Amino acid sequence: MKYWGVVVVLVALVACMQSTLPPQAGADAQGHTAASQSTIAANAAVAEALPLDDPQDFADASRGLLARADSLLVKTADGRTVWDQDAYAFVTGEAPPTVNPSLWRQAKLNGQHGLYEVTPGIYQVRGFDLANMSLIQGESGWIVVDPLTVAETAEAAMRFVHGHFGERPVSAVIFTHSHIDHFGGIAGLLRSSASVDLQVIAPSGFLAEAVSENVMAGVAMQRRAEFMYGRNLARSARGHVDTGLGKEPPLAGSIGIATPTRIITHSGERLTIDGVEFEFQNAPGSEAPAELTFYLPRFKAFCGAEVVSRNLHNVYTLRGAKVRDALAWSDYIQEAIDLFAHRSDMYFGSHQWPLWGRERVLDFLEKQRDIYKYIHDQTLRMANLGYTPNEIAERLKLPEVLRSSFANRGYYGTVRHNAKAVYQRYFGWYDGNPAHLDPLPPSDAGKRYVEAMGGEEQVLATAQQAFGRGEYRWAAQLLNHLVFADARNEAARSLLAQTFDQLGYQAESGPWRDVYLSGAYELRNGTSQRGVNMADALDLLRAIPRAEFFASMAARLNGVRAEGEHIRVHFRFSDLNEDYLLDVSNAVMHHRRVNQAPKADVSISLTHELFLKMAIGQAGIKDTLLSDQLDVSGNRLDLIRFFRLFDKPDGKFAIVTPD
């Protein structure tokens, strides 16, 4: 026992000495270390197990190339980088030891960019954004499917199309679903093209879902998205390489939306758009709350939107969102098979590359259908046997027929976190174990774990041994307790960062890789100071219903500060002729629309535009309230007191440290 104690102290001293030295030899500019022997072996095993040299996907991804830009860099008018495809030039050749070779293969496929012909009359612009822009040739102009995330990338993509085909107007736009990378660039599309009697087609519920998805919890989602997409990581073999679904979301840019002129309400609905016949499937609550797919009889082509894609998708997304229904998702794919597969000679989607051949399309759809159902059914089977979410995630393995398909690999979603999502949908966060009903928060638990294990040096030594054995998940758990017990322990932070490096290097999922490496980055460099910039989303904010905006505002009321307060505020939007009453009492805020000026402590009349600029910080609340830009009836100081009851989250909170 005495000898063991000496070993523990020596190991701890070595770890402490390492933390005080300059960055390890071979570390990159952000401090990410080299791949360990355990990681090299793990990635070699992946390469051995998969047919990574299968050329079919590469043949499909390159098929139909019409034009490619030598350099693809898009900036905002004020010089901010929006899109930099050139940054991924390093993704070539064999996988380096710091990247899972299966993810590297996907990254090379997603790195192909340009204007492609799916079949004469159907074209795609790929690699100008996270999503694809698809174009269908109508009688009078282009029918554009999914105009990307921001105006700048959409405009660049459409000008690239014009450069090849010549100027042609846009006759219709189809929003396949309510995620922002499929509608946010609409203003840039229309800015770059004339429009002829523009039709805007979208699925049932599109507008409400599109403008509301990130309103209530948007700040936290954006902060978590920094981790999910590796926003602060270098684009390199030790940093961000791919999301699995595409390269990355745009880094900046202006987000907009358009009101649909035609809503698709049911599957089997037929519509002729600019001379082209469409057959639609309405698939709400699949990959998105509002989503559609469609079939083009003239071309014998099926557009699967994002209901299907060339990877396992997220039943739960790591940035945070409502859990999706895996069973309904599978059922929608079966419906698409029933409606379209027997007539489809090709498939194309909102991300990645198409495939051709009726048998191949059917096989692809069936395996996509079955992976979501398998995860759903087997999770419930094990839950009914008493297994908890973590136990299910550890035990659930896909059958060979599903996992051998590259289109089912966990490049974006994973079997592990999707199984937990299915459990959560049915049972919630509690796994039934009383010890997990009311656990201590991380800092309190961390201090007690460290004390129980014999102190910081003992925990650090044990974690160092686990690291040396390649047991990185266990090392991460130990070191997480230590960092939350004492965030100033530089040796613990250093070793945890190195541990996250190795977990990231082994991850097949792009988001898992980015989450681990972002954690390592912030342990070394401090919490992100990027924050939330809502100014780029002003066009989208204009479309948010006032009632929903006030509901979001209520979720920022600081209950501690509001205790004992009772204030009634009347808001009048002078340009909209709308009146709302906001009532703070019992430390909560209620809101309702009223038909006339209500009895209130203070009334404020302003334009909706000024209200939005105040909300996003373009107009200072205090200065504005004391100016002549609005009309206030009552005590302006009471109104300032009212606004001071609300938090102003900036999206800079810590994730891998207690503060």
Side-chain angles (χ1 to χ4, degrees), residues 595-614:
N595 294 325
Q596 58 186 8
K599 182 179 179 181
D601 298 303
V602 61
S603 295
I604 179 172
S605 177
L606 74 171
T607 64
H608 184 232
E609 187 75 8
L610 179 57
F611 172 75
L612 291 178
K613 289 182 177 180
M614 291 169 63

Side-chain angles (χ1 to χ4, degrees), residues 49-231:
L50 294 173
L52 299 179
D53 57 355
D54 185 333
Q56 184 63 65
D57 285 336
F58 290 94
D60 289 340
S62 60
R63 177 171 169 173
L65 178 65
L66 299 176
R68 174 174 290 159
D70 293 333
S71 177
L72 183 46
L73 181 64
V74 181
K75 292 181 176 287
T76 61
D78 59 4
R80 290 176 293 158
T81 296
V82 175
W83 186 256
D84 186 1
Q85 183 71 29
D86 301 348
Y88 295 95
F90 70 92
V91 183
T92 186
E94 296 298 316
T98 54
V99 184
N100 181 294
S102 183
L103 177 60
W104 188 256
R105 179 183 189 273
Q106 186 80 347
K108 288 198 288 186
L109 288 160
N110 284 334
Q112 299 199 34
H113 60 90
L115 173 64
Y116 294 82
E117 181 182 75
V118 179
T119 194
I122 302 176
Y123 308 91
Q124 287 192 313
V125 184
R126 299 184 217 135
F128 279 66
D129 199 299
L130 179 64
N132 299 333
M133 179 190 288
S134 301
L135 303 102
I136 301 160
Q137 190 170 340
E139 291 180 355
S140 63
W142 290 115
I143 303 165
V144 177
V145 183
D146 292 346
L148 307 183
T149 310
V150 295
E152 289 79 0
T153 55
E155 184 172 9
M158 203 62 201
R159 292 199 184 283
F160 192 71
V161 171
H162 292 325
H164 183 80
F165 289 109
E167 294 281 342
R168 200 161 189 263
V170 173
S171 58
V173 174
I174 298 176
F175 297 137
T176 62
H177 56 294
S178 53
H179 291 154
I180 202 165
D181 51 325
H182 304 276
F183 68 82
I186 181 66
L189 172 71
L190 300 181
R191 192 162 61 218
S192 62
S193 307
S195 60
V196 180
D197 298 325
L198 184 69
Q199 299 180 69
V200 180
I201 296 93
S204 178
F206 167 80
L207 194 60
E209 296 294 348
V211 301
S212 70
E213 183 185 29
N214 295 330
V215 173
M216 296 289 280
V219 173
M221 282 187 184
Q222 288 195 46
R223 172 68 174 118
R224 289 165 56 128
E226 289 185 28
F227 270 53
M228 179 175 173
Y229 296 116
R231 299 302 292 267

Side-chain angles (χ1 to χ4, degrees), residues 245 287 306 309 311-315 324 329 372 412-413 418:
L245 195 65
E287 183 271 338
E306 211 167 328
S309 51
N311 52 255
L312 173 60
H313 215 296
N314 289 305
V315 177
R324 298 158 185 171
W329 197 336
Y372 297 108
Y412 196 49
N418 281 346

Side-chain angles (χ1 to χ4, degrees), residues 138-139 143 171-172 174 199 201 262 264 269-280 295-298:
E139 291 180 355
I143 303 165
S171 58
I174 298 176
Q199 299 180 69
I201 296 93
R262 177 67 180 262
I264 301 304
E269 189 168 350
R270 294 170 182 259
L271 188 62
T272 298
I273 305 170
D274 194 15
V276 180
E277 184 182 3
F278 285 73
E279 297 178 25
F280 288 97
Y295 176 74
L296 298 166
R298 179 193 301 177

Side-chain angles (χ1 to χ4, degrees), residues 389-408:
N390 288 341
E391 291 169 332
I392 294 170
E394 197 70 19
R395 286 169 170 78
L396 183 55
K397 308 296 181 187
L398 293 178
E400 174 65 24
V401 68
L402 294 181
R403 70 172 179 265
S404 63
S405 169
F406 280 115
N408 277 3

